[in-house]
Amino acid sequence: MKFNTKTIHGGQEHDPAYGAVMPPIYQTSTYAQTTPGGHKGFEYSRTHNPTRKALENAFASIENGTYGLAFASGLAAIDAVIKLLKPGDEVISTNDLYGGTYRLFTKVFEDFGVKFHFIGMENADKVESYVNENTKLIWAETPTNPMMNIIDIKALASVAKKHDILLGVDNTFATPYLQQPLDLGADIVMHSATKYLGGHSDVVMGALVVKDEALADRLYFIQNASGAVCGPQDSFLVLRGIKTLHVRMQRHCENGKKVAEYLANHPKIEKVYWPGFESHPNHEVAKAQMKDFGGMISFVTKGNDYDEAIRIVENMKIFTLAESLGGVESLSGHPASMTHASIPKEEREKTGVVDALIRLSVGIEDADDLIADLEQAIG
Ligand code: P1T
């Protein structure tokens, strides 16, 4: 089955009760048993729920994996991955990553004795130089949030395989429409399904997909034992969102290209970060591992002035100033004071998250209207 068919049918069956084409929202916490253990495969909704199961099967299908897991948020999904580790274990992570992930690693799991190394991952040899006998996980975002760096997943996978380390890839920005990390050698693919998979800014949810049965069993155990699961209503909404993922992503990419090119030619803009530009330092890797370049763009105005950046995001009318990304509507953000405020200033500035950086999640409105909005806001 090709990707555009998988988004609609992958892992799905018509409901066995009445043949409903969309899985019903099984709004139940528990399931009747005829005798202890006498049930139809469902006992309690933290462990299993038919609507969530349908969604988890869809996650597995679109990422070319075998096992899907749905969580209450993207961070809950990452939390489950780090719970595979023990005190003394080490993680090599991208240094440019979502501020909440950085906060989870440094403010929660460091206290449990897990050590994190935050590094630029554009060079796999550099990543390998951080490997020691305690290294258990390499954690990569690509494209990174918010600097749009591109990391070569295949190259990281060969380092991970050589040293018997797990490789996890946060595929939130790219989505499986653009890249499929498991096919490139990753062991775990993760999503903030809040973003493009849900696609309509109405749900907070996380996803994991793996191929290996033993790894899946450990993650299902953690999912049930820790209990950060999503509800059936949210499962239904994200399942519905996935059905249009390929159509939405195509338009996000088309609009992203037009907006990125407009910004690159604007006299007041100093720099635009978007992997589709030939001048992007990892453009060749992006071309090789991604189908297109996506709708996420960051930029800095000339003079790198904080107040000017705030003025621009406040002036936008179609782009809504808000946290999050990946919905049908365009959003703008100011990472230094919003999504990445939990990263110390000197750390975030090392990766380029300067005070004047603005991040855009380009939606699927008419590109001319989006460009006109930027034109009036930048002035
Ligand atoms: O918000 P949540 O569903 O828990 O997902 C966290 C997360 C994980 N990974 C990436 C790459 C993310 O972008 C996010 C959430 N990001 C935002 C809210 C944001 O505006 O960047």
Side-chain angles (χ1 to χ4, degrees):
M1 212 188 270
K2 297 216 167 128
F3 183 77
N4 294 354
T5 311
K6 281 186 174 184
T7 57
I8 295 164
H9 298 290
Q12 302 307 299
E13 290 165 5
H14 298 150
D15 182 60
Y18 299 107
V21 169
M22 275 304 281
I25 301 168
Y26 281 96
Q27 193 74 48
T28 185
S29 60
T30 193
Y31 306 82
Q33 305 194 12
T34 49
T35 182
H39 54 73
K40 297 179 178 166
F42 294 90
E43 285 168 278
Y44 186 59
S45 281
R46 172 164 30 75
T47 320
H48 296 116
N49 172 282
T51 320
R52 194 176 91 218
K53 194 37 76 197
L55 173 67
E56 292 180 329
N57 292 342
F59 285 153
S61 172
I62 59 175
E63 280 291 3
N64 291 343
T66 314
Y67 305 96
L69 298 96
F71 292 86
S73 69
L75 286 179
I78 300 174
D79 178 272
V81 174
I82 306 302
K83 284 176 177 160
L84 294 167
L85 309 180
K86 296 195 172 55
D89 287 349
E90 297 190 15
V91 179
I92 308 171
S93 165
T94 337
N95 60 356
D96 177 36
L97 82 172
Y98 171 55
T101 309
Y102 179 87
R103 182 177 55 199
L104 177 67
F105 290 172
T106 56
K107 297 275 168 37
V108 177
F109 283 107
E110 276 185 358
D111 286 350
F112 287 82
V114 179
K115 186 168 176 189
F116 295 88
H117 302 272
F118 296 97
I119 63 167
M121 287 194 169
E122 289 74 18
N123 179 339
D125 291 340
K126 180 174 168 196
V127 177
E128 190 165 19
S129 74
Y130 280 80
V131 173
N132 64 40
E133 77 270 13
N134 296 323
T135 312
K136 296 287 156 43
L137 173 71
I138 299 174
W139 187 257
E141 266 181 28
T142 180
T144 60
N145 180 1
M147 298 310 299
M148 314 299 156
N149 292 312
I150 300 295
I151 296 164
D152 186 337
I153 298 172
K154 255 191 199 160
L156 279 193
S158 72
V159 173
K161 295 267 170 316
K162 182 169 156 195
H163 297 279
D164 200 17
I165 302 167
L166 288 174
L167 171 62
V169 175
D170 182 334
N171 204 25
T172 300
F173 271 35
T175 83
Y177 174 81
L178 295 179
Q179 81 192 1
Q180 289 162 323
L182 299 179
D183 288 353
L184 298 169
D187 301 290
I188 303 171
V189 60
M190 174 265 155
H191 282 274
S192 169
T194 315
K195 312 296 171 358
Y196 289 104
L197 299 191
H200 296 76
S201 305
D202 49 12
V203 177
V204 173
M205 189 187 286
L208 297 177
V209 180
V210 302
K211 280 185 171 166
D212 181 75
E213 188 178 358
L215 179 59
D217 285 347
R218 287 169 68 202
L219 289 167
Y220 283 126
F221 179 83
I222 293 166
Q223 182 195 39
N224 182 48
S226 289
V229 293
C230 53
Q233 173 91 29
D234 286 354
S235 300
F236 177 89
L237 286 172
V238 173
L239 194 53
R240 183 164 74 165
I242 288 173
K243 289 180 190 288
T244 55
L245 176 66
H246 53 302
V247 192
R248 288 185 283 110
M249 284 309 292
Q250 188 179 347
R251 183 64 66 85
H252 282 296
C253 291
E254 287 165 13
N255 283 0
K257 183 173 193 298
K258 287 180 188 163
V259 169
E261 283 169 356
Y262 161 79
L263 290 171
N265 289 317
H266 197 291
K268 288 195 179 166
I269 307 291
E270 177 74 36
K271 187 141 179 58
V272 183
Y273 300 90
W274 181 67
F277 290 132
E278 275 175 27
S279 58
H280 184 287
N282 305 103
H283 177 68
E284 289 307 316
V285 178
K287 247 171 51 181
Q289 77 184 12
M290 296 169 76
K291 179 176 164 174
D292 206 333
F293 304 108
M296 294 301 298
I297 300 167
S298 292
F299 68 97
V300 181
T301 47
K302 285 193 173 135
N304 185 25
D305 182 36
Y306 180 94
D307 294 334
E308 170 76 348
I310 300 297
R311 186 192 64 76
I312 292 171
V313 292
E314 283 178 355
N315 277 352
M316 291 183 198
K317 293 192 168 59
I318 296 179
F319 282 86
T320 301
L321 177 62
E323 307 250 351
S324 204
L325 58 111
V328 289
E329 67 289 300
S330 293
L331 300 182
S332 67
H334 180 248
S337 65
M338 295 169 69
T339 48
H340 292 70
S342 53
I343 304 179
K345 185 173 161 75
E346 61 288 359
E347 284 305 312
R348 66 172 163 75
E349 287 197 336
K350 273 188 217 158
T351 63
V353 186
V354 294
D355 284 348
L357 189 80
I358 293 172
R359 191 188 72 181
L360 300 179
S361 170
V362 179
I364 62 171
E365 302 94 334
D366 191 289
D368 290 346
D369 287 333
L370 298 179
I371 289 170
D373 192 33
L374 291 168
E375 181 81 13
Q376 65 79 27
I378 296 167

